[in-house]
Amino acid sequence: MDFKVQAKDRKSSARAGEMVTDHGEIQTPIFMPVGTAGSVKAVQQRELHNDIEAQIILGNTYHLFMRPGMEVIEKAGGLHKFNGWDKPILTDSGGYQVYSLAENRKITEEGVTFRSHIDGSKHTFSPEFAIDVQRTIGADIVMAFDECTPFPCDYDYAEKSMKMTHRWLDRCCTRFDETEGKYGFDQTFFPIVQGSTYKDLRKQSAEAISSFDREGNAIGGLSVGEPAEMMYEMTDLVCGILPQDKPRYLMGVGTPANILECIALGVDMFDCVMPTRNARNGMLFTSEGIINIKNEKWRTDFSPIDENLGGYVDTNYSKAYLRHLIMSKEILGAQISSIHNLAFYLWLVKEARQHIVAGDFAEWKNIMVKKVSARL
Amino acid sequence: MDFKVQAKDRKSSARAGEMVTDHGEIQTPIFMPVGTAGSVKAVQQRELHNDIEAQIILGNTYHLFMRPGMEVIEKAGGLHKFNGWDKPILTDSGGYQVYSLAENRKITEEGVTFRSHIDGSKHTFSPEFAIDVQRTIGADIVMAFDECTPFPCDYDYAEKSMKMTHRWLDRCCTRFDETEGKYGFDQTFFPIVQGSTYKDLRKQSAEAISSFDREGNAIGGLSVGEPAEMMYEMTDLVCGILPQDKPRYLMGVGTPANILECIALGVDMFDCVMPTRNARNGMLFTSEGIINIKNEKWRTDFSPIDENLGGYVDTNYSKAYLRHLIMSKEILGAQISSIHNLAFYLWLVKEARQHIVAGDFAEWKNIMVKKVSARL
């Protein structure tokens, strides 16, 4: 994988860059729609291409391992072939879902033993196994197997956990480097900074992770319930340590305002279930602010969802129609709102990129953060 | 509305025709996807146009009356404007849903009083009110308010109900003829033949309905649980009486085989929730037969859903991927299978039409009925 920083903002740490993978280029900063079980919920693959202009999507290793399982994915020739998405894919390591979804989980130095939330079957994920699974899935970007600590987390646990994550990273790197992609294209590997909300631990972790000198680096363990200011502080600190010439991926973040603020701190890649999950509940992110489409005030508002966005979904459907679909629990409501929210997130990072290149990002960001956070 | 029969099959009563409405032409025989609450479930409007090639869709008066309600539809400028579908729409009269969904319903000569299945609110639908509502919805084809008798139904009830349906028809016609479309385009009105499964009642009803001399006629009260042979017998009898030069619409039918058999009996228009409802449960209708995609045998079958159909959904997604989505209850599974099933239904009636025009419909139909009924 290649990465080049193409422009830097003068008044913030924001940068515009380009990653090149065997499945195509990614213009950063970028938001990556989450395709949990091999599908971005309620969105067709051609809609990801044409309406949303997604450049890379996520797959969740835990979900894909459970269903359809590695035998099916491998026989298909990898996830790209299986789900018909031909652009880049990043997979998480499965760790986060093991902690949040699985039952009876037990963490040891070797790895994590747990029972599936679907059928109760017993499994062990180790650093080596998480790499093997991601080799089989065929992700363009493979993530380290780490422990994502909750918030709040006491210092001793956070430190112990971080150190284990670093030892696990060693094992991940070894396994990744002694294996090869299965489907004829290159895969790259990103380690993950941990350390909870403790500055000294974050510093230690960022330095340790940097020393591995991989092609990109991620920041994990944030956006898990801590105040936004704390998340910004940790992100700022870590971005100051991670190498300038490599992409930085802030995992699981966040609201449109979070994304703009973290772009300003030097983050290049984001993912979050918020745009799709909230869409299904009728919460729309727009260029003018946040809409709860269930509110009575939209009942006879026949204007487009977001006039600044354009595109089929915004041109063909009105707020009143979308409200009716969401109120009536029609599947089409989830489809329209998911496409809209993701299109908005991709529009937002594209706008951010243009302002970084144009040199007025910081000013624009301050105005936009207020705008996109307002409740309409 | 104009209707012309363009070709007739020599060995059956099948015919190919064309209806012309203010929202465009309809090539018959035609299948009409059901858009219950103003949305064909899990299908975008552009997918109805481009992937499914739908020429007309249904709306359900009862559902639309309950949600979003007539105030919203009227302010939008009618259902076409509200849901962004610019081709013809047919609405049922609400009768069928009042009988099957509503609570505490009471049928009198005046109409039907019932409570909403959504919020328990009390309403009365009369023949006049059903016409008024369909004027407000702005359907291109407005249906008579009738009583759809269940199966089985004793002779006395069937006769009494049929006679009331005829008296209601009189009132529907009067109201329809003394009112006008609200949105600047023409609407037409179809009466409905009833009479349960009794030949003499069906004959009486078909003759009574014909005497009203409207622009098209419908056959109701079938596909409600009676054996297929009985449905064919009633349809055959009624088609023999209804005028040759007007379209015939068999309501709520049916399986692909039912549709082919009834085209052979002289039916021009069909609707049914089966392709979409069954799609959501993983039952696929294909040109080679019926697939239960949940079956283990499709787990690693990476072939397209139906090679004979082509189109994006069949080209981009495999049976194995669709199986995974349905098993994982992913919304995209409902989307793909609904588009596929509807595309298949529209393909089937288009093929039927081509064979009617080519003059070999009866032979083709006999082969296809077996093919499309086979379980793969």
Side-chain angles (χ1 to χ4, degrees):
Chain A
M1 194 204 68
D2 272 344
F3 178 68
K4 277 201 191 77
V5 175
Q6 297 170 322
K8 285 182 184 185
D9 187 45
R10 282 160 305 174
K11 295 185 185 166
S12 75
S13 302
R15 54 255 200 99
E18 186 176 76
M19 299 167 67
V20 182
T21 76
D22 281 357
H23 283 102
E25 293 155 19
I26 303 158
Q27 309 283 314
T28 61
I30 192 70
F31 179 81
M32 306 181 281
V34 179
T36 313
S39 153
V40 176
K41 287 190 196 302
V43 179
Q44 287 228 41
Q45 275 64 329
R46 68 174 161 196
E47 292 166 337
L48 282 169
H49 275 286
N50 304 332
D51 297 87
I52 294 163
E53 299 183 22
Q55 298 182 40
I56 171 171
I57 64 171
L58 239 79
N60 286 120
T61 290
Y62 172 87
H63 287 284
L64 290 165
F65 176 78
M66 293 301 163
R67 282 191 303 214
M70 288 306 105
E71 184 205 340
V72 173
I73 298 267
E74 185 152 19
K75 276 193 180 155
L79 182 57
H80 291 88
K81 290 271 164 60
F82 184 59
N83 71 0
W85 171 255
D86 57 7
K87 292 194 177 187
I89 296 174
L90 178 151
T91 42
D92 66 5
S93 65
Y96 187 80
Q97 277 75 27
V98 166
Y99 305 120
S100 59
L101 285 178
E103 288 151 22
N104 298 345
R105 67 186 181 285
K106 207 181 146 187
I107 307 176
T108 66
E109 186 65 29
E110 173 52 25
V112 188
T113 301
F114 59 92
R115 286 187 182 279
S116 157
H117 75 295
I118 297 165
D119 62 7
S121 56
K122 200 174 168 182
H123 304 277
T124 302
F125 271 29
S126 65
E128 292 81 8
F129 189 73
I131 297 298
D132 292 347
V133 172
Q134 292 178 84
R135 284 286 194 202
T136 299
I137 292 172
D140 296 273
I141 302 175
V142 165
M143 297 304 300
F145 189 69
D146 62 342
E147 185 182 4
C148 176
T149 49
F151 177 83
C153 178
D154 71 60
Y155 186 90
D156 287 351
Y157 190 90
E159 184 180 26
K160 259 178 62 182
S161 168
M162 179 197 75
K163 287 184 172 165
M164 186 178 67
T165 284
H166 294 170
R167 291 191 299 275
W168 282 1
L169 175 55
D170 234 354
R171 290 164 56 190
C172 282
C173 288
T174 304
R175 186 60 148 240
F176 185 84
D177 292 339
E178 69 191 14
T179 54
E180 281 192 350
K182 293 186 173 186
Y183 311 113
F185 58 84
D186 270 346
Q187 298 179 281
T188 187
F189 171 84
F190 283 16
I192 304 170
V193 174
Q194 289 290 345
S196 186
T197 51
Y198 302 103
K199 287 194 212 178
D200 61 324
L201 296 184
R202 284 281 170 187
K203 182 168 177 289
Q204 266 185 59
S205 189
E207 285 166 352
I209 265 59
S210 300
S211 74
F212 278 85
D213 197 25
R214 307 303 304 200
E215 294 184 303
N217 299 290
I219 309 169
L222 292 177
S223 200
V224 292
E226 78 284 1
E229 288 312 317
M230 207 175 257
M231 173 173 79
Y232 299 148
E233 194 184 11
M234 295 299 132
T235 301
D236 193 20
L237 187 160
V238 171
C239 284
I241 298 168
L242 291 178
Q244 293 280 336
D245 59 343
K246 288 171 185 178
R248 302 170 186 142
Y249 162 31
L250 180 56
M251 304 179 82
V253 174
T255 64
N258 292 159
I259 286 176
L260 292 178
E261 294 294 4
C262 293
I263 288 174
L265 300 175
V267 174
D268 308 295
M269 303 163 72
F270 300 88
D271 81 285
C272 192
V273 295
M274 190 179 275
T276 40
R277 181 177 292 167
N278 292 20
R280 298 195 296 278
N281 295 320
M283 185 177 180
L284 305 177
F285 299 101
T286 80
S287 60
E288 300 295 332
I290 297 168
I291 287 177
N292 178 352
I293 201 72
K294 291 181 177 176
N295 283 349
E296 180 73 15
K297 70 182 285 194
W298 311 113
R299 206 171 68 96
T300 56
D301 186 328
F302 301 108
S303 68
I305 300 162
D306 191 343
E307 297 195 70
N308 298 322
L309 249 65
Y312 173 82
V313 156
D314 277 317
T315 310
N316 204 59
Y317 307 115
S318 67
K319 294 189 184 82
Y321 181 59
L322 179 54
R323 177 180 191 274
H324 160 65
L325 296 175
I326 295 280
M327 297 300 283
S328 305
K329 299 187 169 49
E330 284 287 331
I331 295 174
L332 185 58
Q335 296 173 238
I336 294 171
S337 53
S338 297
I339 292 171
H340 164 77
N341 273 357
L342 287 175
F344 169 72
Y345 266 65
L346 270 294
W347 172 87
L348 189 68
V349 294
K350 196 178 181 181
E351 285 283 305
R353 190 177 201 282
Q354 283 166 1
H355 285 281
I356 295 167
V357 171
D360 64 350
F361 172 78
E363 298 82 349
W364 173 83
K365 186 268 288 180
N366 289 336
I367 297 165
M368 279 307 278
V369 161
K370 278 181 202 141
K371 240 187 175 177
V372 299
S373 306
R375 300 244 165 200
L376 299 181
Chain B
M1 191 205 72
D2 272 343
F3 178 68
K4 277 199 191 78
V5 174
Q6 297 170 321
K8 287 183 183 183
D9 187 45
R10 284 161 303 175
K11 295 186 184 165
S12 76
S13 301
R15 52 268 192 94
E18 187 176 74
M19 299 168 67
V20 182
T21 76
D22 281 358
H23 282 101
E25 294 155 20
I26 302 157
Q27 310 282 314
T28 63
I30 192 70
F31 179 81
M32 306 181 282
V34 178
T36 312
S39 152
V40 175
K41 287 188 194 303
V43 179
Q44 288 228 41
Q45 275 64 327
R46 68 174 162 195
E47 292 167 336
L48 282 170
H49 275 286
N50 304 334
D51 298 87
I52 293 162
E53 298 182 22
Q55 300 182 36
I56 172 172
I57 65 169
L58 239 78
N60 286 120
T61 290
Y62 171 88
H63 287 285
L64 291 164
F65 176 79
M66 294 299 164
R67 281 191 304 214
M70 289 306 104
E71 185 205 338
V72 174
I73 297 269
E74 185 153 19
K75 276 192 180 155
L79 182 56
H80 292 89
K81 290 271 165 58
F82 184 60
N83 72 1
W85 171 253
D86 57 6
K87 292 196 176 187
I89 296 175
L90 179 150
T91 42
D92 66 6
S93 65
Y96 186 80
Q97 277 75 30
V98 167
Y99 306 120
S100 59
L101 285 178
E103 287 151 24
N104 298 347
R105 71 187 178 284
K106 205 180 145 188
I107 307 176
T108 66
E109 186 65 28
E110 174 53 26
V112 188
T113 302
F114 60 91
R115 286 187 181 279
S116 157
H117 76 294
I118 296 164
D119 61 6
S121 57
K122 200 175 166 181
H123 304 277
T124 301
F125 271 29
S126 65
E128 292 80 9
F129 188 74
I131 297 297
D132 293 347
V133 173
Q134 292 178 83
R135 284 287 195 201
T136 300
I137 293 172
D140 297 272
I141 302 175
V142 166
M143 297 304 299
F145 189 68
D146 62 343
E147 186 183 2
C148 175
T149 49
F151 178 83
C153 178
D154 71 60
Y155 185 89
D156 287 351
Y157 189 89
E159 185 180 24
K160 261 178 59 183
S161 167
M162 178 196 76
K163 287 183 173 166
M164 189 181 64
T165 284
H166 294 171
R167 291 192 299 275
W168 281 2
L169 175 55
D170 234 353
R171 290 164 57 191
C172 283
C173 288
T174 302
R175 186 61 147 241
F176 186 84
D177 292 339
E178 70 191 16
T179 54
E180 282 191 348
K182 294 185 171 186
Y183 311 112
F185 58 83
D186 271 345
Q187 298 180 281
T188 188
F189 171 84
F190 284 16
I192 303 170
V193 175
Q194 287 290 345
S196 186
T197 50
Y198 303 103
K199 287 196 212 176
D200 61 324
L201 297 183
R202 283 282 169 188
K203 183 169 176 288
Q204 267 183 59
S205 188
E207 285 166 352
I209 265 61
S210 300
S211 73
F212 278 85
D213 197 26
R214 308 301 306 198
E215 294 184 301
N217 299 289
I219 309 169
L222 293 176
S223 201
V224 291
E226 78 284 1
E229 286 313 317
M230 207 174 259
M231 173 176 78
Y232 298 149
E233 194 184 10
M234 295 299 132
T235 301
D236 192 19
L237 187 159
V238 171
C239 284
I241 298 168
L242 291 177
Q244 293 280 334
D245 59 344
K246 288 170 183 176
R248 300 170 187 142
Y249 162 31
L250 179 57
M251 304 179 79
V253 172
T255 64
N258 291 159
I259 287 176
L260 292 178
E261 294 293 3
C262 293
I263 288 173
L265 300 174
V267 174
D268 307 296
M269 301 164 72
F270 300 88
D271 80 284
C272 191
V273 294
M274 190 180 277
T276 38
R277 181 176 293 165
N278 291 19
R280 297 195 297 280
N281 295 319
M283 185 177 180
L284 305 176
F285 298 101
T286 81
S287 60
E288 301 294 332
I290 298 167
I291 286 177
N292 178 352
I293 201 72
K294 293 181 177 176
N295 282 347
E296 179 74 15
K297 69 183 285 193
W298 311 113
R299 205 170 70 97
T300 55
D301 185 328
F302 301 107
S303 68
I305 301 162
D306 191 342
E307 296 195 71
N308 298 320
L309 250 65
Y312 174 80
V313 157
D314 278 317
T315 309
N316 205 58
Y317 306 117
S318 66
K319 294 188 184 83
Y321 181 59
L322 179 54
R323 178 180 190 274
H324 161 63
L325 296 174
I326 294 280
M327 296 299 285
S328 305
K329 297 187 171 48
E330 285 287 332
I331 295 174
L332 184 57
Q335 296 173 239
I336 295 172
S337 54
S338 298
I339 292 171
H340 165 77
N341 273 358
L342 287 175
F344 169 70
Y345 266 64
L346 268 294
W347 172 86
L348 189 68
V349 294
K350 195 177 182 184
E351 286 281 306
R353 191 177 200 280
Q354 283 167 359
H355 285 282
I356 295 167
V357 172
D360 63 351
F361 172 77
E363 298 81 350
W364 173 82
K365 187 267 291 179
N366 289 336
I367 296 164
M368 280 306 280
V369 161
K370 279 181 201 140
K371 238 184 174 177
V372 298
S373 307
R375 301 245 163 198
L376 299 179

